[in-house]
C-alpha cells in the first residue's frame, strides 16, 4: 500500500503494489484519488482519514476473497458484502434458525393431536407440494397433512406386511404340485410294478436292522423328495456308507409312494427300511391316547386349520410376532409323524443308540463320530440354542416357548433355562428306557389341552423341553446349524462349515419361497434326471 501526494498537495493517490508489470507498465494500480481543498480540511484531519482508509482496505480485500472462495452467488459489490456480513458484524442472528425452531414446535404439537378421519389426503409428496402452492397452506396445515400422509403410509405398509406373512404361511403349509404329483405317480407305480413293491431291505439284510455295530438313522416324514435328499446327502457325506442303516417312518397314505422311491432308487451301499405308522404294532390307541386326542380335538383342529386372522389384534403385535404365531399354527404340529420321536425306545426295542433327523436337513459331513460322543448318562445329545453369533436363531430360552403367566409353567420352569434344538439329535435309547420321559410328555400335553392350549402354542418342542429336562447333553454347535428356513442373513461361511444344515422355518428349499442363495446346498442332492422327477416337472428353481 503506497500514498502519493501531488506537488500542489491538492491530490493524494492510494495504490497497491503489484509484482507484475502488466498494469500500464508503471507497476501501480490506482485505486482511489482524493482531491484536497486546503481551505476546507486541515492536513491533520486528512492524515488521520488516510490512515483509517489504509487500515480498513486490507480487510475489504480479505472479505472479498472469502466471499469468492465460499462461492457466494455474484457477490461483487460492497452492497452485497454489506447484506452478507452486516448482520454478523452487528451481532444479529439469522432468522432461519428461529424459523426452524418454530417449525419443530408446530410438528411437536401436531404429533400429539388427533388427525381428523375425514381429511382428504394427496396421493404423493409432489401432489402435496402442488396443493400447498395452490391453497397457500400455512406451516401448521402442512404439518397436519404430512402427519396424516405418514400415518396412512405406515398403515398401508403394515397391512401389506401382514398380507405377505399370511400368503407365506399358506405357501409353507401347502404341498407343491410337483411333490404331490411325485407321491401320486410313485403310489401308482407301487400297484403296477413288482420292482416297486420288493421287500426293503432284502431278506438277507433284515438282521442288520437291529445290529448295533451299524449307524442307525431314523427319519419321520411324508415328503418323498425331502426324504431322498436326507438319505442321499447322508450316504454321500459318509466315510463308511456301507455301515449306514436308515429307518424311514411315514404315514399310511404316503407309504406306497415312499416304498416305491427307495425300491426303485436304492441308496447303496446303505440299507433303507420304510415303515408306515400303521405297521407298528405298539402304536395303539391305548399307548398313544393323548396324541389321538390332539388330532381329534375340535378346538385344536380349529386352531390349526381355522381362520388365522379372526380374533387377532394386528394393531397390537409386530409382524415378527405375528409370523411366529402363524408358524406355531402349522397343521404339521398335530400330526402323529411329528410326535413319533417320543416313542423311539418302544418302536425300536433292539437298538441302543440312534440319530433322529428331520426331513428338512442336509448332511454335509461324516456323522459317524457322533456315535463316539459320551453323553455322560444323558438321553439326548443336542445343540443348545441360547448361545451363538446369530442372536435371532441362537437366542432361544424357555421364555420364548412358554407362557410364564400360567401358574403351572411359572411353578415348574425357569424362563432363563437354555433351550435346545430338534432336527439332529443323538438318542441313547438304553438310558431313555430308564426314565419317565414319555409319561412326562403325555402329562404336559394333557395339561395344555385342559388349559385350552394356554401353556404353549408351538408344536412338539415345548413338551419335549419339559420331558427331557435334566436329560440333555450339549454337543458342539458346528454339528447342527439352524435357521436356514427363516434367517435370510445366515452366514454362508457357517453353512459350508456345518456338518448338518437345517432349513427349519417356513422357507423350505423345495418351496418357491425358499431363499435363493441357500437352496443350492439342498438342491444338489436332488436327482433331477430321474423320470418321476422330470415327469412331475420338479425343476431346478
Amino acid at each position: 500500500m503506497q500514498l502519493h501526494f501531488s506537488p500542489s498537495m491538492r491530490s493524494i493517490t492510494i495504490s497497491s503494489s503489484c509484482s507484475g508489470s502488466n498494469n500500464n507498465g508503471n507497476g501501480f494500480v490506482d485505486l482511489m484519488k482524493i482531491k484536497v481543498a486546503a481551505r476546507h480540511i486541515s492536513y491533520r484531519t486528512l492524515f488521520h482519514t488516510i490512515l483509517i482508509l489504509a487500515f480498513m482496505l486490507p480487510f475489504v480485500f480479505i472479505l472479498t476473497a472469502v466471499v469468492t472462495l465460499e462461492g457466494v452467488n455474484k457477490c461483487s459489490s460492497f452492497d452485497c458484502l454489506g447484506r452478507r456480513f452486516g448482520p454478523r458484524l452487528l451481532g444479529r442472528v439469522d432468522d432461519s434458525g428461529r424459523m426452524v425452531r418454530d417449525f419443530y414446535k408446530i410438528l411437536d404439537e401436531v404429533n400429539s393431536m388427533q388427525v381428523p378421519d375425514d381429511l382428504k389426503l394427496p396421493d404423493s409428496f409432489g401432489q402435496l407440494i402442488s396443493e400447498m402452492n395452490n391453497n397457500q397452506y400455512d406451516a401448521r396445515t402442512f404439518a397436519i397433512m404430512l402427519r396424516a400422509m405418514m400415518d396412512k403410509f405406515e398403515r398401508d405398509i403394515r397391512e401389506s406386511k401382514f398380507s405377505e406373512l399370511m400368503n407365506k404361511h399358506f405357501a409353507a403349509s401347502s404341498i407343491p404340485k410337483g411333490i404331490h404329483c411325485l407321491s401320486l405317480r410313485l403310489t401308482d407305480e407301487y400297484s403296477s410294478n413288482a420292482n416297486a413293491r420288493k421287500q426293503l431291505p432284502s431278506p438277507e439284510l433284515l438282521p442288520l436292522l437291529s445290529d448295533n455295530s451299524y449307524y442307525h438313522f431314523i427319519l419321520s416324514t411324508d415328503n418323498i423328495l425331502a426324504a431322498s435328499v436326507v438319505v442321499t446327502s447322508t450316504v454321500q457325506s459318509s466315510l463308511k456308507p456301507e455301515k449306514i442303516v436308515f429307518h424311514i417312518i411315514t404315514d399310511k397314505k404316503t407309504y406306497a409312494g415312499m416304498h416305491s422311491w427307495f425300491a426303485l432308487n436304492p441308496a447303496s451301499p446303505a440299507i433303507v427300511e420304510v415303515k408306515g405308522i400303521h405297521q407298528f404294532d405298539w402304536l395303539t390307541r391305548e399307548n398313544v391316547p393323548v396324541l389321538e386326542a390332539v388330532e381329534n380335538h375340535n378346538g385344536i383342529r380349529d386352531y390349526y386349520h381355522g381362520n388365522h386372522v379372526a380374533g387377532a389384534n394386528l394393531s397390537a403385535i409386530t409382524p415378527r410376532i405375528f409370523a411366529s404365531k402363524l408358524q406355531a399354527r402349522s397343521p404339521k404340529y398335530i400330526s402323529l409323524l411329528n410326535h413319533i420321536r417320543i416313542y423311539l425306545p418302544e418302536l425300536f426295542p433292539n437298538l441302543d443308540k440312534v440319530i433322529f433327523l428331520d426331513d428338512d436337513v442336509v448332511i454335509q459331513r461324516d456323522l459317524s463320530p457322533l456315535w463316539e460322543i459320551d453323553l455322560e448318562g444323558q438321553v439326548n445329545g443336542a445343540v443348545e440354542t441360547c448361545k451363538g453369533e446369530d442372536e435371532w436363531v441362537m437366542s432361544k430360552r424357555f421364555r420364548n416357548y412358554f407362557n410364564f403367566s400360567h401358574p403351572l409353567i411359572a411353578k415348574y420352569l425357569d424362563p432363563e433355562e437354555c433351550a435346545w434344538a430338534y432336527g439332529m439329535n443323538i438318542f441313547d435309547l438304553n438310558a431313555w428306557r430308564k426314565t419317565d420321559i414319555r409319561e412326562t410328555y403325555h402329562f404336559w400335553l394333557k395339561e395344555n389341552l385342559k388349559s385350552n392350549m394356554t401353556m404353549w402354542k408351538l408344536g412338539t418342542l415345548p413338551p419335549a423341553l419339559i420331558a427331557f429336562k435334566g436329560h440333555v447333553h450339549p454337543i458342539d454347535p458346528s454339528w447342527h446349524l439352524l435357521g436356514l428356513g427363516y434367517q435370510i442373513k445366515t452366514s454362508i461361511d457357517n453353512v459350508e462349515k456345518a456338518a448338518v444344515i437345517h432349513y427349519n422355518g417356513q422357507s423350505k428349499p423345495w418351496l418357491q419361497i425358499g431363499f435363493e442363495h441357500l437352496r443350492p446346498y439342498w438342491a444338489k442332492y436332488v436327482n433331477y434326471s430321474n423320470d418321476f422327477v422330470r415327469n412331475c416337472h420338479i425343476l431346478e428353481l
Side-chain angles (χ1 to χ4, degrees), residues 165-180:
L165 292 172
M166 281 297 301
N167 292 333
K168 190 172 183 179
H169 171 70
F170 292 137
S173 302
S174 61
I175 301 173
K177 184 167 63 174
I179 291 179
H180 182 60

Side-chain angles (χ1 to χ4, degrees), residues 326-360:
L326 286 178
Q327 186 177 348
R329 297 177 76 160
S330 173
K332 72 177 184 178
Y333 291 126
I334 59 174
S335 166
L336 182 55
L337 278 176
N338 218 271
H339 293 268
I340 201 76
R341 69 195 85 195
I342 206 68
Y343 306 113
L344 294 183
E346 290 76 25
L347 300 182
F348 300 95
N350 298 318
L351 295 182
D352 297 337
K353 183 180 283 190
V354 300
I355 289 182
F356 191 94
L357 298 173
D358 280 356
D359 64 359
D360 53 357

Side-chain angles (χ1 to χ4, degrees), residues 99-116:
M99 292 174 63
V100 170
R101 289 194 296 274
D102 290 344
F103 192 60
Y104 284 160
K105 184 178 180 180
I106 293 172
L107 289 176
D108 191 52
E109 291 174 359
V110 170
N111 186 49
S112 60
M113 68 177 288
Q114 182 69 33
V115 177

Side-chain angles (χ1 to χ4, degrees), residues 452-520:
N452 196 27
M453 299 187 70
T454 57
M455 292 183 175
W456 69 81
K457 298 292 187 185
L458 181 60
T460 56
L461 183 57
L465 290 175
I466 302 175
F468 284 100
K469 197 172 184 304
H471 301 290
V472 177
H473 177 79
I475 62 174
D476 192 283
S478 65
W479 284 109
H480 185 190
L481 180 66
L482 296 125
L484 277 72
Y486 66 89
Q487 174 57 299
I488 192 172
K489 296 180 181 179
T490 299
S491 165
I492 296 299
D493 186 52
N494 290 341
V495 169
E496 294 176 347
K497 290 178 181 178
V500 177
I501 55 175
H502 193 174
Y503 292 84
N504 58 312
Q506 292 180 322
S507 301
K508 303 298 185 190
W510 55 83
L511 299 174
Q512 287 190 339
I513 60 173
F515 300 132
E516 294 292 336
H517 64 298
L518 299 177
R519 182 181 287 117

Side-chain angles (χ1 to χ4, degrees), residues 140-303:
R140 182 180 178 81
T141 305
F142 170 73
I144 292 174
M145 297 291 286
L146 191 62
R147 157 81 189 282
M149 288 180 67
M150 292 294 294
D151 288 348
K152 179 179 181 297
F153 291 152
E154 285 180 3
R155 287 193 302 270
D156 291 345
I157 292 172
R158 187 179 178 84
E159 289 174 6
S160 298
K161 185 63 178 177
F162 283 121
S163 296
E164 177 193 350
L165 292 172
M166 281 297 301
N167 292 333
K168 190 172 183 179
H169 171 70
F170 292 137
S173 302
S174 61
I175 301 173
K177 184 167 63 174
I179 291 179
H180 182 60
C181 165
L182 184 65
S183 180
L184 292 178
R185 286 180 177 266
L186 287 167
T187 299
D188 182 63
E189 193 73 11
Y190 184 83
S191 62
S192 60
N193 185 346
N195 288 328
R197 297 192 302 273
K198 69 182 180 183
Q199 185 175 349
L200 289 177
S202 56
E204 65 274 13
L205 298 178
L206 287 177
L208 301 181
L209 296 179
S210 56
D211 188 337
N212 283 295
S213 66
Y214 280 69
Y215 305 130
H216 292 268
F217 294 88
I218 299 176
L219 173 64
S220 174
T221 181
D222 60 355
N223 187 328
I224 298 171
L225 190 66
S228 73
V229 168
V230 175
V231 173
T232 302
S233 64
T234 304
V235 173
Q236 291 186 12
S237 301
S238 176
L239 298 178
K240 299 178 181 179
E242 70 280 359
K243 299 286 288 182
I244 290 177
V245 178
F246 257 100
H247 306 268
I248 299 177
I249 306 172
T250 190
D251 55 18
K252 191 172 183 178
K253 65 179 176 60
T254 312
Y255 170 75
M258 188 76 74
H259 190 283
S260 293
W261 176 269
F262 287 102
L264 299 173
N265 302 280
S268 301
I271 299 167
V272 176
E273 173 193 34
V274 178
K275 291 191 75 171
I277 289 176
H278 60 289
Q279 296 174 319
F280 286 96
D281 295 333
W282 187 87
L283 288 175
T284 63
R285 292 184 178 182
E286 290 74 23
N287 289 330
V288 290
V290 176
L291 295 184
E292 184 184 12
V294 167
E295 286 194 311
N296 297 320
H297 189 284
N298 288 334
I300 294 176
R301 294 189 68 82
D302 287 343
Y303 177 79

